[in-house]
Amino acid sequence: QVQLVQSGAEVKRPGASVKVSCKASGYTFTSHDIDWVRQATGQGLEWMGWMNPATGNSDYIQKFQGRITMTRDTSISTAYMELSALTSEDTAVYYCARVVSGSFDYWGQGTLLTVPS
Amino acid sequence: QSALTQPASVSGSPGQAITISCTGTSSDVGGYNYVSWYQQHPGKAPKLMISGVHNRPSGVSNRFSGSKSGNTASLTISGLQAEDEADYYCHSYTGSRPLYVFGTGTKVTVL
């Protein structure tokens, strides 16, 4: 069965970087985009960007340009999202999701990032 | 690209039907048949309920149905049950940057 398993919760100081992993299993990793979505406490879902595991191509929303990188290691079917220059406003749960025909059909369990102010 | 507009809350009694609207523009909801709906219970990851405007993934109850008219998509939950109490988000492909946009979210309460 398809599964996306994310790395554990993180606590980072302001200005630091975080790298969240998303390990895929149960399907061919390179066949579907992996997107990242975040959700601040009590807030809605915010789409962050996409990555094509086959090519490594990616794109991100404007607000993260310059401080976000989405990469992958196809040998271990794992996608990564690295966010730098963290502030307290980056405190949120980060999700990876598999994309099929424009829908996010499987999601990771979420990774809580806390950046104390 | 602004978030798609959803009502903040919708409520209904057990057994009733409710409908959640999702209003976008001709650049997202109105322009493509790539509208999805997600259910999220507290502390859990979102779950895909409807894809491609009206398609139900395997395992999703047929009490959930989706539709679209112009720039507005809708999710209808019929035969409302206590387990349907959750947050619901719509989602659309845009064909440009940003590639996707979520709705503002709707809290469904079962009275």
Side-chain angles (χ1 to χ4, degrees):
Chain A
Q1 72 283 19
V2 174
Q3 276 193 304
L4 298 175
V5 179
Q6 298 183 221
S7 48
E10 302 262 15
V11 179
K12 295 291 184 180
R13 294 178 301 174
S17 298
V18 69
K19 191 171 186 177
V20 179
S21 67
C22 171
K23 182 171 178 58
S25 60
Y27 73 101
T28 301
F29 177 63
T30 52
S31 294
H32 301 285
D33 284 2
I34 292 287
D35 286 25
W36 291 84
V37 176
R38 78 176 185 180
Q39 185 174 38
T41 302
Q43 302 301 306
L45 301 173
E46 178 179 36
W47 183 76
M48 300 176 69
W50 62 267
M51 184 203 59
N52 182 317
T55 63
N57 291 341
S58 60
D59 196 17
Y60 325 112
I61 61 174
Q62 182 72 27
K63 71 184 289 185
F64 296 118
Q65 292 285 346
R67 68 183 191 103
I68 191 171
T69 305
M70 295 179 185
T71 58
R72 89 293 191 213
D73 184 339
T74 56
S75 69
I76 55 172
S77 299
T78 300
Y80 301 94
M81 188 282 299
E82 184 169 17
L83 192 61
S84 62
L86 295 171
T87 73
S88 58
E89 295 189 353
D90 294 314
T91 293
V93 176
Y94 290 76
Y95 295 101
C96 61
R98 188 181 82 158
V99 184
V100 174
S101 298
S103 293
F104 298 176
D105 66 341
Y106 286 91
W107 294 64
Q109 82 276 20
T111 296
L112 174 62
L113 168 65
T114 303
V115 185
S117 55
Chain B
Q1 192 87 28
S2 300
L4 308 175
T5 301
Q6 299 180 232
S9 62
V10 173
S11 62
S13 299
Q16 284 187 328
I18 62 169
T19 297
I20 303 168
S21 61
C22 169
T23 301
T25 69
S26 58
S27 297
D28 38 63
V29 173
Y32 305 92
N33 287 325
Y34 289 123
V35 177
S36 307
W37 289 89
Y38 302 87
Q39 176 192 64
Q40 186 181 35
H41 287 109
K44 300 295 187 181
K47 174 187 176 183
L48 178 65
M49 304 301 284
I50 296 288
S51 66
V53 177
H54 56 75
N55 300 310
R56 267 190 317 277
S58 175
V60 172
S61 170
N62 59 10
R63 298 185 297 104
F64 292 84
S65 62
S67 63
K68 189 183 84 167
S69 177
N71 297 337
T72 298
S74 299
L75 174 71
T76 297
I77 309 174
S78 58
L80 200 61
Q81 299 180 0
E83 68 205 50
D84 300 331
E85 188 162 289
D87 293 325
Y88 291 82
Y89 295 90
C90 62
H91 169 253
S92 177
Y93 174 78
T94 72
S96 63
R97 301 177 76 190
L99 200 57
Y100 295 102
V101 61
F102 278 102
T104 50
T106 297
K107 181 175 181 59
V108 168
T109 301
V110 181
L111 302 172

PDB file of all heavy atoms in Angstrom, chain B residues 85-104:
ATOM      1  N   GLU B  85     -18.019  15.317  11.243  1.00  0.00           N
ATOM      2  CA  GLU B  85     -17.606  16.571  11.874  1.00  0.00           C
ATOM      3  C   GLU B  85     -16.099  16.711  11.732  1.00  0.00           C
ATOM      4  O   GLU B  85     -15.319  15.905  12.247  1.00  0.00           O
ATOM      5  CB  GLU B  85     -18.019  16.592  13.349  1.00  0.00           C
ATOM      6  CG  GLU B  85     -17.791  17.938  14.011  1.00  0.00           C
ATOM      7  CD  GLU B  85     -18.581  18.093  15.295  1.00  0.00           C
ATOM      8  OE1 GLU B  85     -19.815  18.219  15.237  1.00  0.00           O
ATOM      9  OE2 GLU B  85     -17.938  18.105  16.366  1.00  0.00           O
ATOM     10  N   ALA B  86     -15.672  17.729  10.990  1.00  0.00           N
ATOM     11  CA  ALA B  86     -14.263  17.919  10.632  1.00  0.00           C
ATOM     12  C   ALA B  86     -14.137  19.236   9.884  1.00  0.00           C
ATOM     13  O   ALA B  86     -15.128  19.919   9.631  1.00  0.00           O
ATOM     14  CB  ALA B  86     -13.777  16.768   9.756  1.00  0.00           C
ATOM     15  N   ASP B  87     -12.906  19.565   9.519  1.00  0.00           N
ATOM     16  CA  ASP B  87     -12.647  20.685   8.623  1.00  0.00           C
ATOM     17  C   ASP B  87     -12.561  20.153   7.191  1.00  0.00           C
ATOM     18  O   ASP B  87     -12.020  19.074   6.955  1.00  0.00           O
ATOM     19  CB  ASP B  87     -11.345  21.382   8.987  1.00  0.00           C
ATOM     20  CG  ASP B  87     -11.417  22.076  10.338  1.00  0.00           C
ATOM     21  OD1 ASP B  87     -12.490  22.594  10.689  1.00  0.00           O
ATOM     22  OD2 ASP B  87     -10.391  22.104  11.044  1.00  0.00           O
ATOM     23  N   TYR B  88     -13.078  20.942   6.263  1.00  0.00           N
ATOM     24  CA  TYR B  88     -13.057  20.565   4.855  1.00  0.00           C
ATOM     25  C   TYR B  88     -12.420  21.672   4.028  1.00  0.00           C
ATOM     26  O   TYR B  88     -12.719  22.847   4.212  1.00  0.00           O
ATOM     27  CB  TYR B  88     -14.485  20.288   4.356  1.00  0.00           C
ATOM     28  CG  TYR B  88     -15.085  19.044   4.961  1.00  0.00           C
ATOM     29  CD1 TYR B  88     -15.667  19.077   6.223  1.00  0.00           C
ATOM     30  CD2 TYR B  88     -15.033  17.821   4.295  1.00  0.00           C
ATOM     31  CE1 TYR B  88     -16.191  17.937   6.814  1.00  0.00           C
ATOM     32  CE2 TYR B  88     -15.559  16.662   4.866  1.00  0.00           C
ATOM     33  CZ  TYR B  88     -16.127  16.732   6.127  1.00  0.00           C
ATOM     34  OH  TYR B  88     -16.639  15.592   6.700  1.00  0.00           O
ATOM     35  N   TYR B  89     -11.538  21.264   3.112  1.00  0.00           N
ATOM     36  CA  TYR B  89     -10.837  22.209   2.264  1.00  0.00           C
ATOM     37  C   TYR B  89     -11.032  21.842   0.794  1.00  0.00           C
ATOM     38  O   TYR B  89     -10.889  20.677   0.421  1.00  0.00           O
ATOM     39  CB  TYR B  89      -9.335  22.201   2.567  1.00  0.00           C
ATOM     40  CG  TYR B  89      -8.975  22.680   3.937  1.00  0.00           C
ATOM     41  CD1 TYR B  89      -8.877  21.806   5.016  1.00  0.00           C
ATOM     42  CD2 TYR B  89      -8.711  24.027   4.173  1.00  0.00           C
ATOM     43  CE1 TYR B  89      -8.547  22.247   6.282  1.00  0.00           C
ATOM     44  CE2 TYR B  89      -8.369  24.489   5.445  1.00  0.00           C
ATOM     45  CZ  TYR B  89      -8.298  23.591   6.484  1.00  0.00           C
ATOM     46  OH  TYR B  89      -7.959  24.044   7.743  1.00  0.00           O
ATOM     47  N   CYS B  90     -11.317  22.850  -0.011  1.00  0.00           N
ATOM     48  CA  CYS B  90     -11.295  22.619  -1.451  1.00  0.00           C
ATOM     49  C   CYS B  90      -9.896  22.983  -1.963  1.00  0.00           C
ATOM     50  O   CYS B  90      -9.090  23.592  -1.246  1.00  0.00           O
ATOM     51  CB  CYS B  90     -12.369  23.417  -2.166  1.00  0.00           C
ATOM     52  SG  CYS B  90     -12.234  25.214  -2.019  1.00  0.00           S
ATOM     53  N   HIS B  91      -9.636  22.643  -3.205  1.00  0.00           N
ATOM     54  CA  HIS B  91      -8.285  22.743  -3.757  1.00  0.00           C
ATOM     55  C   HIS B  91      -8.420  22.740  -5.265  1.00  0.00           C
ATOM     56  O   HIS B  91      -9.215  21.983  -5.820  1.00  0.00           O
ATOM     57  CB  HIS B  91      -7.506  21.520  -3.256  1.00  0.00           C
ATOM     58  CG  HIS B  91      -6.179  21.269  -3.883  1.00  0.00           C
ATOM     59  ND1 HIS B  91      -5.956  20.236  -4.773  1.00  0.00           N
ATOM     60  CD2 HIS B  91      -4.993  21.884  -3.716  1.00  0.00           C
ATOM     61  CE1 HIS B  91      -4.691  20.236  -5.126  1.00  0.00           C
ATOM     62  NE2 HIS B  91      -4.079  21.214  -4.494  1.00  0.00           N
ATOM     63  N   SER B  92      -7.671  23.597  -5.929  1.00  0.00           N
ATOM     64  CA  SER B  92      -7.775  23.664  -7.379  1.00  0.00           C
ATOM     65  C   SER B  92      -6.417  23.848  -8.035  1.00  0.00           C
ATOM     66  O   SER B  92      -5.537  24.516  -7.513  1.00  0.00           O
ATOM     67  CB  SER B  92      -8.688  24.815  -7.796  1.00  0.00           C
ATOM     68  OG  SER B  92      -8.749  24.937  -9.208  1.00  0.00           O
ATOM     69  N   TYR B  93      -6.288  23.250  -9.180  1.00  0.00           N
ATOM     70  CA  TYR B  93      -5.156  23.480 -10.072  1.00  0.00           C
ATOM     71  C   TYR B  93      -5.375  24.828 -10.760  1.00  0.00           C
ATOM     72  O   TYR B  93      -6.517  25.232 -11.013  1.00  0.00           O
ATOM     73  CB  TYR B  93      -5.131  22.348 -11.098  1.00  0.00           C
ATOM     74  CG  TYR B  93      -4.102  22.477 -12.197  1.00  0.00           C
ATOM     75  CD1 TYR B  93      -2.769  22.185 -11.960  1.00  0.00           C
ATOM     76  CD2 TYR B  93      -4.481  22.863 -13.487  1.00  0.00           C
ATOM     77  CE1 TYR B  93      -1.828  22.270 -12.970  1.00  0.00           C
ATOM     78  CE2 TYR B  93      -3.552  22.952 -14.507  1.00  0.00           C
ATOM     79  CZ  TYR B  93      -2.222  22.653 -14.244  1.00  0.00           C
ATOM     80  OH  TYR B  93      -1.300  22.747 -15.247  1.00  0.00           O
ATOM     81  N   THR B  94      -4.267  25.554 -11.039  1.00  0.00           N
ATOM     82  CA  THR B  94      -4.420  26.875 -11.651  1.00  0.00           C
ATOM     83  C   THR B  94      -3.796  26.974 -13.039  1.00  0.00           C
ATOM     84  O   THR B  94      -4.034  27.948 -13.757  1.00  0.00           O
ATOM     85  CB  THR B  94      -3.782  27.960 -10.770  1.00  0.00           C
ATOM     86  OG1 THR B  94      -2.358  27.840 -10.856  1.00  0.00           O
ATOM     87  CG2 THR B  94      -4.225  27.861  -9.325  1.00  0.00           C
ATOM     88  N   GLY B  95      -2.939  26.032 -13.369  1.00  0.00           N
ATOM     89  CA  GLY B  95      -2.290  26.082 -14.661  1.00  0.00           C
ATOM     90  C   GLY B  95      -1.184  27.105 -14.785  1.00  0.00           C
ATOM     91  O   GLY B  95      -0.560  27.238 -15.844  1.00  0.00           O
ATOM     92  N   SER B  96      -0.935  27.852 -13.731  1.00  0.00           N
ATOM     93  CA  SER B  96       0.134  28.853 -13.769  1.00  0.00           C
ATOM     94  C   SER B  96       0.800  28.878 -12.403  1.00  0.00           C
ATOM     95  O   SER B  96       0.658  27.941 -11.635  1.00  0.00           O
ATOM     96  CB  SER B  96      -0.433  30.213 -14.160  1.00  0.00           C
ATOM     97  OG  SER B  96      -1.364  30.657 -13.201  1.00  0.00           O
ATOM     98  N   ARG B  97       1.507  29.922 -12.081  1.00  0.00           N
ATOM     99  CA  ARG B  97       2.157  30.003 -10.782  1.00  0.00           C
ATOM    100  C   ARG B  97       1.310  30.856  -9.846  1.00  0.00           C
ATOM    101  O   ARG B  97       0.932  31.962 -10.237  1.00  0.00           O
ATOM    102  CB  ARG B  97       3.548  30.609 -10.924  1.00  0.00           C
ATOM    103  CG  ARG B  97       4.445  29.824 -11.854  1.00  0.00           C
ATOM    104  CD  ARG B  97       5.776  30.517 -12.019  1.00  0.00           C
ATOM    105  NE  ARG B  97       6.628  30.327 -10.847  1.00  0.00           N
ATOM    106  CZ  ARG B  97       7.769  30.997 -10.663  1.00  0.00           C
ATOM    107  NH1 ARG B  97       8.134  31.921 -11.531  1.00  0.00           N
ATOM    108  NH2 ARG B  97       8.501  30.755  -9.598  1.00  0.00           N
ATOM    109  N   PRO B  98       0.995  30.406  -8.670  1.00  0.00           N
ATOM    110  CA  PRO B  98       1.270  29.082  -8.112  1.00  0.00           C
ATOM    111  C   PRO B  98       0.409  28.008  -8.761  1.00  0.00           C
ATOM    112  O   PRO B  98      -0.710  28.279  -9.175  1.00  0.00           O
ATOM    113  CB  PRO B  98       0.916  29.254  -6.642  1.00  0.00           C
ATOM    114  CG  PRO B  98      -0.162  30.282  -6.639  1.00  0.00           C
ATOM    115  CD  PRO B  98       0.215  31.245  -7.738  1.00  0.00           C
ATOM    116  N   LEU B  99       0.910  26.791  -8.781  1.00  0.00           N
ATOM    117  CA  LEU B  99       0.253  25.722  -9.527  1.00  0.00           C
ATOM    118  C   LEU B  99      -1.053  25.267  -8.898  1.00  0.00           C
ATOM    119  O   LEU B  99      -1.958  24.820  -9.600  1.00  0.00           O
ATOM    120  CB  LEU B  99       1.221  24.534  -9.627  1.00  0.00           C
ATOM    121  CG  LEU B  99       0.956  23.501 -10.723  1.00  0.00           C
ATOM    122  CD1 LEU B  99       0.922  24.153 -12.099  1.00  0.00           C
ATOM    123  CD2 LEU B  99       2.030  22.412 -10.652  1.00  0.00           C
ATOM    124  N   TYR B 100      -1.128  25.377  -7.563  1.00  0.00           N
ATOM    125  CA  TYR B 100      -2.326  24.958  -6.838  1.00  0.00           C
ATOM    126  C   TYR B 100      -2.701  26.010  -5.812  1.00  0.00           C
ATOM    127  O   TYR B 100      -1.864  26.785  -5.354  1.00  0.00           O
ATOM    128  CB  TYR B 100      -2.086  23.627  -6.101  1.00  0.00           C
ATOM    129  CG  TYR B 100      -1.829  22.449  -7.016  1.00  0.00           C
ATOM    130  CD1 TYR B 100      -0.535  21.983  -7.219  1.00  0.00           C
ATOM    131  CD2 TYR B 100      -2.878  21.800  -7.651  1.00  0.00           C
ATOM    132  CE1 TYR B 100      -0.297  20.904  -8.052  1.00  0.00           C
ATOM    133  CE2 TYR B 100      -2.644  20.712  -8.487  1.00  0.00           C
ATOM    134  CZ  TYR B 100      -1.353  20.274  -8.682  1.00  0.00           C
ATOM    135  OH  TYR B 100      -1.124  19.209  -9.508  1.00  0.00           O
ATOM    136  N   VAL B 101      -3.978  25.992  -5.445  1.00  0.00           N
ATOM    137  CA  VAL B 101      -4.452  26.891  -4.399  1.00  0.00           C
ATOM    138  C   VAL B 101      -5.501  26.147  -3.565  1.00  0.00           C
ATOM    139  O   VAL B 101      -6.302  25.369  -4.101  1.00  0.00           O
ATOM    140  CB  VAL B 101      -5.034  28.189  -4.999  1.00  0.00           C
ATOM    141  CG1 VAL B 101      -6.231  27.904  -5.894  1.00  0.00           C
ATOM    142  CG2 VAL B 101      -5.360  29.191  -3.923  1.00  0.00           C
ATOM    143  N   PHE B 102      -5.460  26.379  -2.253  1.00  0.00           N
ATOM    144  CA  PHE B 102      -6.439  25.784  -1.349  1.00  0.00           C
ATOM    145  C   PHE B 102      -7.538  26.774  -1.025  1.00  0.00           C
ATOM    146  O   PHE B 102      -7.359  27.998  -1.143  1.00  0.00           O
ATOM    147  CB  PHE B 102      -5.773  25.366  -0.039  1.00  0.00           C
ATOM    148  CG  PHE B 102      -5.068  24.040  -0.099  1.00  0.00           C
ATOM    149  CD1 PHE B 102      -3.688  23.989  -0.224  1.00  0.00           C
ATOM    150  CD2 PHE B 102      -5.768  22.855  -0.025  1.00  0.00           C
ATOM    151  CE1 PHE B 102      -3.021  22.770  -0.282  1.00  0.00           C
ATOM    152  CE2 PHE B 102      -5.117  21.623  -0.080  1.00  0.00           C
ATOM    153  CZ  PHE B 102      -3.740  21.592  -0.219  1.00  0.00           C
ATOM    154  N   GLY B 103      -8.663  26.241  -0.584  1.00  0.00           N
ATOM    155  CA  GLY B 103      -9.717  27.066  -0.038  1.00  0.00           C
ATOM    156  C   GLY B 103      -9.406  27.470   1.388  1.00  0.00           C
ATOM    157  O   GLY B 103      -8.477  26.957   2.007  1.00  0.00           O
ATOM    158  N   THR B 104     -10.208  28.375   1.910  1.00  0.00           N
ATOM    159  CA  THR B 104     -10.006  28.911   3.260  1.00  0.00           C
ATOM    160  C   THR B 104     -10.415  27.941   4.352  1.00  0.00           C
ATOM    161  O   THR B 104     -10.045  28.113   5.507  1.00  0.00           O
ATOM    162  CB  THR B 104     -10.788  30.220   3.438  1.00  0.00           C
ATOM    163  OG1 THR B 104     -12.137  30.015   3.001  1.00  0.00           O
ATOM    164  CG2 THR B 104     -10.163  31.331   2.593  1.00  0.00           C
TER     165      THR B 104
END
